Amino acid sequence: MSDGTALAGPDGALRCPWALSTEDYVAYHDEEWGRPVHGDDALYERLCLEAFQSGLSWITILRRREGFRKAFAGFRIAEVATFTDTDKERLLADPGIIRNRAKIEATVANARALAEWTEGELDELIWSHAPDPATRPVPRTLADVPAVTDESTALSKALKKRGIRFVGPTTAYALMQACGLVDDHLEACVARSAP
């Protein structure tokens, strides 16, 4: 059993322990998690997937990501904003995604809200909440990684104020981790501050 410190993966490299349970996690951890993501559609996708993950394991979402992309028009905000009640019923019947009515409704409602924003505004808002890396201690164990921060609470409030749903402080922090606003790879992890 891990004490929360980095562990050797199949290739011998040290990684965050959560990343070692499946090959899908290893690839996601090494190639995506904690890497900067920019662009409104790309950030909208991550925001939606983090909301769908709420109450579930991330691997459930990760393994259905292509199904989500297909079901939600590649997470192109302008297209999802035009989804009708018929589209929502189609999504509720789609076995390739998580069929949760509240999360589907929020995904469409969020696209409609974001379609009213100017291009680049979502990117700017999210990244304006990135903390100064110099002020953040480098986590040595999983116990050093928070679930919520002042910045994620502020981001959640800013998004909600602008009409975005299903984005509490914990979901906002998961978004910040996934999109590289913070680097929560453990100190000994091979992916720590990777380019």
Side-chain angles (χ1 to χ4, degrees), residues 36-122:
V37 174
H38 286 281
D40 291 348
D41 288 344
L43 287 165
Y44 168 67
E45 174 182 352
R46 298 312 200 297
L47 180 65
C48 294
L49 293 178
E50 293 297 344
F52 271 100
Q53 186 271 330
S54 181
L56 302 170
S57 69
W58 179 245
I59 197 68
T60 301
I61 304 304
L62 193 58
R63 289 183 173 157
R64 288 187 166 103
R65 184 162 51 171
E66 289 309 314
F68 276 108
R69 286 175 173 163
K70 182 178 177 185
F72 287 100
F75 289 100
R76 290 181 294 278
I77 294 167
E79 289 184 45
V80 179
T82 67
F83 279 18
T84 63
D85 287 342
T86 301
D87 291 306
K88 293 177 195 174
E89 292 304 315
R90 169 185 56 82
L91 293 166
L92 284 167
D94 188 336
I97 66 169
I98 304 301
R99 296 174 285 184
N100 177 297
R101 183 175 296 276
K103 293 176 182 181
I104 289 169
E105 291 279 353
T107 300
V108 175
N110 289 347
R112 289 178 182 160
L114 291 169
E116 301 297 318
W117 296 24
T118 59
E119 186 175 337
E121 195 171 353
L122 177 62

Side-chain angles (χ1 to χ4, degrees), residues 11 23 33 44 54 67 86 88 109 113 117 126 149 168 174 176 179 183 186 188:
D11 59 359
E23 288 181 22
W33 192 74
Y44 168 67
S54 181
T86 301
K88 293 177 195 174
W117 296 24
I126 289 174
T149 63
M176 293 171 76
C179 296
D183 183 356
L186 300 182

Side-chain angles (χ1 to χ4, degrees), residues 154-177:
L155 175 58
S156 171
K157 286 179 182 177
L159 288 167
K160 286 178 179 179
K161 185 176 181 181
R162 298 289 308 273
I164 305 303
R165 296 168 26 190
F166 240 101
V167 60
T170 303
T171 297
Y173 192 69
L175 175 73
M176 293 171 76
Q177 291 174 305

